[in-house]
Amino acid sequence: MSFQPIKFYQTGTFTVGNRLLPDAERSVQSTVRRTNSLNSGHRACQGCGEALGARYAIDAAMESTDGQLIAANATGCLEVFSTPYPETSWQIPWIHSLFGNTAAVATGIAAAMRVKGRDNVRVVAQGGDGGTADIGFGCLSGMFERNDDVLYICYDNGGYMNTGVQRSSATPAGARTATTAAVGPNPGNPFGQGKDLPAIAIAHGIPYVATATVAELRDLEAKVRHAMSIRGARYLHILVPCPLGWGHDSALTIRMARLAKETGIFPVYEAENGEVTGVSKIRQKTRVEEYLKPQKRYAHLFSPKPREDVIRRIQEAADRNIRKYGLLEAAQ
Amino acid sequence: MLKQIEGSQAVAEAIALCRPEVICAYPISPQTHIVEGLGELVKSGELTPCEFINVESEFAAMSVAIGASAAGARAYTATASQGLLFMAEAVFNAAGLGLPIVMTVANRAIGAPINIWNDHTDAMSQRDCGWILLFAETNQEALDLHIQAFRLAEALSLPVMVCMDGFILTHAYERVDMPTQEQVDAFLPPFDPRQRLDPASPVSIGAMVGPEAFMEVRYLEHVRQMRALEMIPGWAEEFREAFGRDSGGLMRKYRTDDADTIVVALGSVLGTIKETVDALRDKGERIGVLGITCFRPWPTSAVRAALSHAKRVVVLEKSIAVGLGGIVSANVRASYGGHPDVVHTVVAGLGGRSITRESLARVFTSASHGTLAPLTFLDLDHGLVERALARERQTPHSGPVAEGLLRDVGVVAAKIS
Ligand SMILES: Cc1ncc(C[n+]2csc(CCOP(=O)(O)OP(=O)(O)O)c2C)c(N)n1
Ligand code: SF4
Ligand SMILES: [Mg+2]
């Protein structure tokens, strides 16, 4: 792993830890160097995981590139809450074109920089899970396949949140959304194969793929830094809880993200050139109910009639992840 | 330098002379030879510095161009037909963002039924997307218009579409006068946008705009197009001085001065129309031609002035507004000072149907005799459609039309004649 886990992460702040660490290992957010790329004053909901993830990711990318960064942004919550005309929260050069073309727009920016001999200027593309796994999938795959020098960051909140919480191909099985109502014999999102985007990115054989959550922000920063040290197509998939869409208390965003990892529901790992090179071990294996219960999108699994059958299938999927990625083996 | 080359190759060479910095390529007939030609020029090192990107769709082609242009690079792509529709969302977006991208559209029909041959339905579907739309009459004009297009686009901060008839121009070997690099460099200064994506001065581009300012954004787009109407004739004049020939401008008149009947058309069919008009003139008919080069912005007052003496107008167009009639005609009618009933629509050449001098002479003559219908489909096979309509009356059902027609015609594949 590019990141050395440290024990005091449970405090939810790294201020204490940073004082104990050598300069080079300190969190970007803890230093005066941080750029506040996504500045305060934006319109995200309280406790928005996407806002948090974007702030950490882009600040880390800014630090790694010495401020020589351009971002392309898909339509979605991040775009809408950050740039209501005539205001903008972005302190970096930033463009929003469409919902489904962000990877291609980023390719164009990278091409412009190369042709102008400005290879030091780097490009980040970012979008939600809908903009990435669904409508922008073609452009994303094309960008990967050409190995364009772009870091694509997907903020996965498991649905089309900006349009009012509809199902996307990243919506987890069993979850209620506005288009997978919690009614009928099989309430919520049906079980299917799902679309495992990090695995699909790895299958492209691109230089770097990683997953992360907003519960381990140092890990997230480290992955962005590592990604920016590499040229070519890179993909970072960040799980970002959405209090509005998931129906959890806005104070529980970090806990939800942590539980997603600790249950095995969201495996955190990285891969280089098509091979998994490191996984974040589960510290304390947790049953999926603990993750599901605080979220209203799963309320129909607990009342009026407990749906143990559905919960078992969710648990089985989490256990499969644990086996597949070796999430429980002792850390080296 | 005079050359005998394919239209697509001529356009590729002209584009290269414009020093594009990012070119996005995706194949679709009849445009493909243009990007193939450019790809070779980049790969061989003749066109440098330039990034030639093989994208995965036309939607990506326009999107890559958007990113490149917003970051300050001169961007170019080419497409046709289904490709233009596939990129439609990004086409509007490029205009809304005010990015001076230049795109060739090698005009082709739109399916279903799928058809690779020429008409203007593709470009007409995007007529109100905010791009400037120029139509070339010849291969020489096609290559000249591209050189003017970059200048126009960058001065006005608007994208420009250069339309040239698929196959009829793109695949025709004709003599063209290829300008020198020095000539083009003198006419077309380097691209220097007033705003670009640059860490040195961070800007946010593409913010969400609500009802409080959206109308104003669109209004300013319209004002810029209106400004193009004023600038285009001057540039065509400047082009004539620099390159020694007439190309571009808003429109071109041919034997209209004393004409009672004026035919309005766009693109390569103007050549056939002019020959027909010459023949009719020899027989004493007072007929002339108005060729529209600039379809968007629409040159309302110039068209009105050009048609002011005409007793009747025949708009010959390779497009159809299904359920209405003509697209170009609707624009012409709105700018004709006389009675709108004397503006006739002749829909011709759809899907590559040949437009012959004989057929043209027939409709133009019937126009002067006052017997031309308001809407005519040139050389429509009435027998074929009547039989299809009869079948439909017998067994009303929904389903594809083309298959029944082809069975009737007795051929499996469509034929060009
Ligand atoms: C072509 C197109 N289709 C649909 C939309 C409507 N739309 C805008 S944002 C959005 C949802 C975005 O979901 P996601 O990408 O997951 O981002 P989130 O808002 O959840 O962060 C949708 C459906 C659009 N803007 N463009
Ligand atoms: S709906 Fe969800 S993703 Fe969107 S701003 Fe609110 S919390 Fe963030
Ligand atoms: Mg989402």
Side-chain angles (χ1 to χ4, degrees), chain A residues 8 11 56 60 81-82 89 102 127 141 171 173 179 198 206 264-265 272 311 332:
Chain A
F8 39 72
T11 60
Y56 271 71
F81 73 60
S82 65
S89 283
T102 312
S141 177
T171 299
T179 50
I206 57 174
I265 281 176
E272 298 200 28
I311 294 170
Q332 300 95 339

Side-chain angles (χ1 to χ4, degrees), chain B residues 92-120:
Chain B
F92 273 75
N93 193 250
L97 292 171
L99 298 173
I101 297 162
V102 171
M103 170 162 69
T104 310
V105 173
N107 299 108
R108 165 183 154 179
I110 281 175
I114 190 163
N115 172 301
I116 65 167
W117 291 281
N118 167 245
D119 69 31
H120 290 168

Side-chain angles (χ1 to χ4, degrees), chain A residues 226-248:
Chain A
H226 187 59
M228 296 318 285
S229 74
I230 299 169
R231 291 277 171 176
R234 289 141 291 141
Y235 180 70
L236 181 56
H237 189 106
I238 309 176
L239 185 76
V240 290
C242 162
L244 184 101
W246 295 14
H248 61 74

Side-chain angles (χ1 to χ4, degrees), chain A residues 67 69-70 83 85 88 91-98 100-101 104-105 108-109 111-116 118 138-139 142 146, chain B residues 21 49 51 53-56 59 63-64 67-68 70-73 89-90 93 197-199 202-209 212-213:
Chain A
L69 191 73
I70 298 175
T83 54
Y85 173 90
T88 177
Q91 308 295 305
I92 59 170
W94 178 94
I95 184 170
H96 160 250
S97 169
L98 294 170
N101 70 352
V105 171
I109 299 168
M113 291 303 123
R114 209 160 45 241
V115 82
K116 305 241 177 229
R118 300 183 65 183
C139 286
R146 291 184 301 266
Chain B
E21 294 169 297
E51 293 286 325
I53 304 175
N54 282 296
V55 290
E56 73 285 349
F59 178 63
S63 302
V64 169
E89 192 191 11
N93 193 250
L197 294 167
D198 188 344
V203 285
S204 295
I205 298 178
M208 180 162 193
V209 176
E212 70 282 5

Side-chain angles (χ1 to χ4, degrees), chain A residues 50 76-77 127-131 154-162 166 168 170 240 242:
Chain A
E50 189 160 294
C77 272
D129 49 286
C154 169
Y155 302 104
D156 176 5
N157 51 22
Y160 294 106
M161 299 318 182
N162 186 59
Q166 294 83 16
S168 80
V240 290
C242 162

